[in-house]
Amino acid sequence: MTYLLDHHPDQYPLESYRRKQLLEWVFKHGISSFNEISNLPKSAIAFLEENFELTAFPKVEVFPSSDGSSKYLFTLRDGKQMEAVLMPYQDRVTICVSTMVGCPAGCAFCATGRMGFGRNLTAGEIVEQVLVAARDQELAPTEIRNLVFMGMGEPLLNYDNTLEAARILLHPDGLGMSQRRVTLSTVGLPDKIVKLASEDVTVKLAISLHAPDEETRKTIIPTAHAHTIEAILESAREYQRASGRRVTLEYAMLAGVNDAIWQAELLADILRGLVSHVNLIPMNPWAESGFRSSSETRIQEFYDTLQARGVPVSVRRSRGRDAGAACGQLAIAKTPRVISSESA
Ligand code: SAH
Ligand code: SF4
């Protein structure tokens, strides 16, 4: 048995127009079983059932948040678990997907980092998160038009599978997403960012900078020992040139760690020459993290300092905090509702 969603749309296992029909059932109708297909011959359905698995998730649970977002907890065939978060806004729906079980990068303020590394997800396991969330929300999969690779894991350390997932998401016969509405967030791995700049996929790039000075960055992000801020910014400039897109810099506001006004001033200095946008994210709390969010006043002062120096900046409040679904909280269990289970 192979997992159907791991295949690129051009390589779906049927000929010509039947292949197109199958793709429509999977990506436009979001079927959960080959039996739901009504316009393929019985022999084709039997062939699919004998040779292909349509889901990689024996169990899915959902944790609704009071703000309308939902966290999905997926159990994989090997028993490992990972999560995605669906966020409905007035004019759009955004999904935040995982690229790994856990994460090897080990950032100090991130609950996923504290879990350690489980394994890489396959391309299909990344894509299926969208299909399952859509089904639960009674949406066609293609109605989820915005996607961020900001769930568990470091996408650029699962480079090939993340890129293959992006190709399936963007493919007109897949989910047909627009590159402008897909964002890849990375801890900042310069070689991989430069490589990404040379690919056919030019999604939006977000870099988790979180500090403008090496000393502070090294205390919260272990990969900072291997990659300097200057090398990261140089790769960001290259990505910006190649993609023509503004690069986002993420900055979690950690009280007493990276929120001094001199750090805002230094950040403005080092960003000169990069077409960018800074997102200040109040730190989302989790038990035993040892970090607190900066105060509202300090976040405002930090914001004002950047703005006064001409840096485009916004404050981004995470959704789903009460469901353990906000940035950096993935890994924390709350009481779920089981929405599908093979043993049920
Ligand atoms: N590994 C990638 C993408 C997943 S993390 C990355 O690090 O960019 C998504 C974002 O959430 C990153 O910017 C990350 O730094 C941020 N984050 C992690 N823990 C957080 C927390 N407790 N509060 C706010 N943001 C957090
Ligand atoms: Fe991994 Fe990103 Fe969390 Fe760092 S912030 S541990 S890179 S998921």
Side-chain angles (χ1 to χ4, degrees), residues 100 102-114 150-155 157 185-188 208 210 220-223 328:
M100 292 177 170
C103 183
C107 302
F109 49 87
C110 172
T112 307
R114 183 67 62 86
M150 288 192 190
M152 286 185 177
E154 168 47 46
L157 289 177
S185 176
T186 171
V187 70
S208 296
H210 301 313
I220 50 178
I221 303 179
T223 59

Side-chain angles (χ1 to χ4, degrees), residues 103 105 107 109-111 149-155 185-188 206-208 210 250-254 281-286 318 327-329:
C103 183
C107 302
F109 49 87
C110 172
F149 291 104
M150 288 192 190
M152 286 185 177
E154 168 47 46
S185 176
T186 171
V187 70
I207 300 179
S208 296
H210 301 313
E250 289 155 287
Y251 202 101
M253 298 295 297
L254 309 171
I281 315 163
M283 194 251 171
N284 295 306
W286 47 280
S318 299
C327 296
Q329 291 183 322

Side-chain angles (χ1 to χ4, degrees), residues 47-258:
F47 163 77
L48 291 169
E49 279 179 334
E50 274 160 35
N51 296 287
F52 296 92
E53 247 157 8
L54 191 53
T55 178
F57 310 142
K59 188 172 176 190
V60 182
E61 292 151 274
V62 60
F63 304 76
S65 161
S66 58
D67 65 13
S69 52
S70 297
K71 175 163 96 166
Y72 293 90
L73 172 64
F74 303 96
T75 303
L76 301 159
R77 296 249 171 245
D78 57 8
K80 294 190 160 63
Q81 295 185 309
M82 54 86 191
E83 299 172 329
V85 184
L86 191 94
M87 296 160 284
Y89 296 90
Q90 236 164 22
D91 56 340
R92 64 183 192 280
V93 182
T94 297
I95 189 161
C96 172
V97 297
S98 292
T99 54
M100 292 177 170
V101 173
C103 183
C107 302
F109 49 87
C110 172
T112 307
R114 183 67 62 86
M115 282 173 72
F117 178 54
R119 70 164 168 88
N120 284 336
L121 298 182
T122 70
E125 287 168 340
I126 299 171
V127 171
E128 194 183 346
Q129 297 168 51
V130 184
L131 302 182
V132 172
R135 203 176 299 137
D136 178 54
Q137 304 279 324
E138 296 176 0
L139 296 169
T142 46
E143 287 179 86
I144 301 180
R145 294 205 187 84
N146 300 275
L147 179 138
V148 293
F149 291 104
M150 288 192 190
M152 286 185 177
E154 168 47 46
L156 297 186
L157 289 177
N158 184 13
Y159 188 94
D160 292 341
N161 293 348
T162 299
L163 230 71
E164 185 61 11
R167 292 198 180 98
I168 299 170
L169 296 167
L170 298 169
H171 196 288
D173 295 334
L175 282 171
M177 285 183 174
S178 147
Q179 310 241 32
R180 282 176 297 116
R181 293 166 180 256
V182 175
T183 301
L184 186 149
S185 176
T186 171
V187 70
L189 306 171
D191 305 352
K192 301 276 169 54
I193 293 172
V194 168
K195 187 168 176 213
L196 190 64
S198 71
E199 302 282 357
D200 53 331
V201 169
T202 50
V203 295
K204 280 166 67 178
L205 183 69
I207 300 179
S208 296
L209 196 65
H210 301 313
D213 59 297
E214 298 293 349
E215 201 185 331
T216 307
R217 200 163 188 273
K218 282 180 187 162
T219 63
I220 50 178
I221 303 179
T223 59
H225 292 275
H227 307 291
T228 64
I229 292 169
E230 183 39 40
I232 294 170
L233 293 179
E234 180 51 37
S235 68
R237 288 191 284 270
E238 177 147 354
Y239 192 84
Q240 202 276 312
R241 278 193 297 270
S243 65
R245 299 190 196 287
R246 185 172 79 162
V247 172
T248 300
L249 297 157
E250 289 155 287
Y251 202 101
M253 298 295 297
L254 309 171
V257 176
N258 64 357

Side-chain angles (χ1 to χ4, degrees), residues 289-334:
S289 75
F291 292 92
R292 279 183 304 115
S293 176
S294 311
S295 68
E296 286 300 320
T297 324
R298 176 45 60 97
I299 294 173
Q300 187 63 45
E301 287 165 355
F302 204 91
Y303 174 96
D304 291 343
T305 307
L306 288 171
Q307 233 198 7
R309 282 165 176 71
V311 178
V313 54
S314 356
V315 179
R316 282 284 149 83
R317 278 162 220 291
S318 299
R319 304 268 302 247
R321 271 188 177 194
D322 64 342
C327 296
Q329 291 183 322
L330 298 186
I332 300 163
K334 300 256 165 137

Side-chain angles (χ1 to χ4, degrees), residues 257-279:
V257 176
N258 64 357
D259 66 350
I261 295 309
W262 69 262
Q263 285 165 316
E265 291 165 355
L266 181 58
L267 181 59
D269 284 348
I270 64 172
L271 291 185
R272 260 185 218 117
L274 175 65
V275 183
S276 62
H277 186 99
V278 174
N279 279 341

